[in-house]
């Protein structure tokens, strides 16, 4: 049976440490770097406020290091070990002296409160887009995936509420709806979407959307007729660890379709590829046995004729990594960028911001559904890292934004530079609710003027895609509304009558 300890008791448990000397600070910092950095990069005390470290992070950290009892009290959520009816006081992989020093170090050096966002609130609304809602016919908005198909002038939307995929036309008329018996978070297409016609590919079912270590995910083939009717085909793979991306590719260059799997998982997960053995079967080829793979690109980055992989891990070992293809199914991993484990990495894409012919990185962090969820973090936002031509990256820009979840760079106003559309799933709803969606107009020199939309409160924006859905030559935006169970419990009435998604119709080149 689990034993629980209230948060206030944890504070009391750690409260005897009123401060620490410079020597203790040094010892605590060194111990933290030795133990904490064994699983991820060293988290500086300044990344969170003192109470969050003491109440939330340190108890969890202690459990992972094997601490069962501290100062005579059990840590929360701990299975108590007994031996001959006696509680085992300590079975740790860390000494109590080192643990005391770590706790003292964070408690004495972390800030009392986190600094607030380092820029003025956005007060202007953009005139570039007209918002059009896709209203639900039933249920609650639980949009887990949106995609614009410019060739057909369609929008695909998947719902976790009823496990469906729906197809809408440019006027937001629903052409079809299909129960696919899964929570779809990604779709791939066998061919480009530039021309009209039927579609085929595979869709990615995450299984249970909430964090878990089960293997309930899967991937299926599908076909779409020219009229937008969807048919579910054979399952390609099952028992997947919460897959968030399932990418067709040919990693061994043998002419057969392999698949790259971002098995996000939770505390466990896997990043691997499925080698096509040409007999209707696949051989699993592990790339990294850690959780958190969330977004990957397959491309010949070093121009040696072999497809490489660049991937973002958004759990524990947060960072962007390169897997260089060495041939014969072998890959060599190297760090591209590393981030602290509290950053909440969410998304990245490759864009050439400075027009030098090399792809730069647009990176978002803002997932705030972790042990420090109550705190707003001033380092959340959108980062741009420039490529030196050899895939070494240096930060060139940072736009702070609480809960930043996804950003897409396009020339929305057709003036020759890259603007950015960005959403937040965890904005400051008390002081800056309008910053759940922002359009960042590029003013040159990595300076952006931010604009909100009047419909900012129409949903909880988790998903975003960009494309010319109305065929007028400029890029439109679709943002999907996800009503998570916890959100629904506290705001059920507010979600009634809310859209599945908003289409932000761009009228730079003409209003439809």
């Amino acid at each position: 049976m689990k034993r629980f300890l209230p948060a206030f008791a944890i504070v009391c448990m750690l409260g005897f440490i009123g401060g620490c000397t410079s020597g203790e600070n040094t010892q605590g910092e060194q111990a933290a770097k030795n133990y904490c950095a064994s699983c991820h990069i060293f988290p500086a005390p300044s990344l969170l406020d003192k109470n969050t470290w003491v109440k939330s992070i340190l108890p969890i950290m202690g459990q992972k290091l094997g601490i069962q009892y501290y100062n005579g009290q059990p840590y929360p959520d701990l299975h108590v070990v007994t031996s001959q009816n006696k509680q085992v006081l300590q079975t740790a992989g860390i000494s109590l002296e080192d643990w005391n020093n770590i706790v003292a170090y964070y408690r004495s050096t972390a800030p009392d409160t986190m600094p607030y966002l380092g820029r003025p609130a956005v007060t202007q609304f953009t005139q570039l887009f007209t918002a059009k809602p896709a209203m639900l016919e039933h249920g609650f908005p639980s949009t887990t995936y949106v995609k614009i198909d410019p060739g057909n002038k369609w929008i695909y939307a998947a719902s976790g509420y009823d496990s469906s995929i729906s197809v809408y036309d440019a006027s937001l008329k629903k052409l079809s709806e299909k129960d696919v018996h899964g929570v779809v978070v990604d779709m791939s297409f066998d061919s480009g979407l530039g021309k009209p016609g039927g579609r085929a590919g595979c869709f990615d079912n995450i299984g249970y959307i909430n964090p878990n270590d089960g293997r309930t995910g899967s991937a299926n083939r599908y076909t779409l007729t020219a009229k937008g009717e969807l048919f579910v085909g054979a399952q390609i793979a099952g028992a997947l660890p919460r897959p968030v991306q399932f990418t067709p590719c040919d990693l061994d260059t043998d002419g057969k379709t392999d698949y790259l799997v971002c098995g996000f998982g939770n505390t466990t997960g896997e990043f691997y590829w499925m080698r096509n053995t040409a007999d209707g079967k696949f051989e699993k080829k592990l790339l990294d046995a850690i959780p958190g793979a969330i977004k990957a690109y397959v491309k010949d980055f070093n121009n040696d004729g072999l497809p490489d992989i660049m991937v973002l891990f958004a759990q524990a070992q947060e960072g962007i990594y390169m897997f260089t293809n060495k041939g014969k199914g072998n890959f060599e991993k190297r760090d591209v960028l590393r981030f602290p484990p509290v950053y909440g990495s969410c998304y990245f894409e490759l864009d050439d911001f400075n027009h030098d012919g090399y792809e730069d990185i647009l990176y978002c962090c803002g997932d705030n559904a972790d042990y420090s969820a109550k705190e707003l973090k001033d380092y959340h936002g959108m980062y741009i890292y420039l490529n030196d031509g050899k895939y070494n990256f240096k930060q060139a820009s940072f736009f702070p934004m609480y809960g930043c979840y996804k950003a897409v760079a396009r020339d929305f106003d057709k003036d020759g530079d890259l603007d950015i559309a960005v959403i937040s799933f965890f904005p400051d709803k008390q002081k800056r609710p309008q910053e759940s969606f922002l359009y960042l107009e590029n003013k040159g020199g990595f300076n952006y003027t931010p604009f909100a939309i009047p419909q900012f409160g129409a949903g909880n924006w988790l998903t975003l895609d960009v494309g010319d859905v109305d065929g007028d030559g400029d890029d439109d935006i679709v943002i999907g509304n996800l009503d998570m169970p916890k959100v629904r419990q506290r705001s059920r009435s507010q979600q009634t009558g809310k859209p599945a998604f908003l289409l932000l119709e761009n009228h730079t080149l003409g209003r439809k």
Side-chain angles (χ1 to χ4, degrees), residues 64-83:
K64 293 182 182 299
L65 290 173
I67 294 288
Q68 292 190 340
Y69 277 76
Y70 187 73
N71 199 27
Q73 298 290 334
Y75 266 14
D77 265 346
L78 182 71
H79 288 287
V80 177
V81 180
T82 59
S83 176

Side-chain angles (χ1 to χ4, degrees), residues 173-214:
K173 175 185 176 182
K174 185 180 289 188
L175 302 178
S176 68
E177 180 179 326
K178 180 75 172 182
D179 184 353
V180 298
H181 306 291
V183 181
V184 173
V185 295
D186 191 36
M187 293 176 68
S188 66
F189 301 86
D190 292 347
S191 58
L193 302 180
K195 296 180 179 180
R199 307 295 188 216
C202 61
F203 64 77
D204 180 3
N205 163 32
I206 196 175
Y208 294 109
I209 193 169
N210 290 329
N212 69 88
D213 285 313

Side-chain angles (χ1 to χ4, degrees), residues 45 110 161 174 190 260 300 302 319 389 417 443 445 511:
Y161 175 82
K174 185 180 289 188
D190 292 347
L260 181 65
D300 183 7
N302 59 3
D417 53 29
K443 294 297 186 179
R511 184 186 294 271

Side-chain angles (χ1 to χ4, degrees), residues 425-473:
F425 193 64
F426 300 96
D428 182 351
K429 293 188 176 181
Q430 299 300 315
K431 296 181 180 179
R432 302 188 181 200
Q434 74 278 15
E435 296 186 5
S436 60
F437 169 87
L438 293 178
Y439 163 62
L440 306 183
E441 182 181 346
N442 193 335
K443 294 297 186 179
F446 298 103
N447 295 309
Y448 297 88
T449 299
F451 298 88
I453 55 173
Q455 301 81 7
F456 61 84
N460 306 300
W461 312 122
L462 181 80
T463 53
L464 177 153
D465 193 43
V466 170
D468 184 9
V469 73
D470 55 11
D472 66 352

Side-chain angles (χ1 to χ4, degrees), residues 76 264 486:
F264 190 98
K486 290 184 178 180

Side-chain angles (χ1 to χ4, degrees), residues 242-254:
R242 290 186 77 223
V244 292
Q245 188 180 15
F246 192 85
T247 305
C249 50
D250 183 8
L251 291 176
D252 54 3
T253 63
D254 64 353

Side-chain angles (χ1 to χ4, degrees), residues 113-130:
T113 59
M114 291 292 290
Y116 198 69
L117 206 64
R119 62 167 175 79
V122 177
T123 58
Q124 298 183 79
F125 292 136
T126 179
Q127 301 297 313
L128 197 66
F129 302 93
T130 298

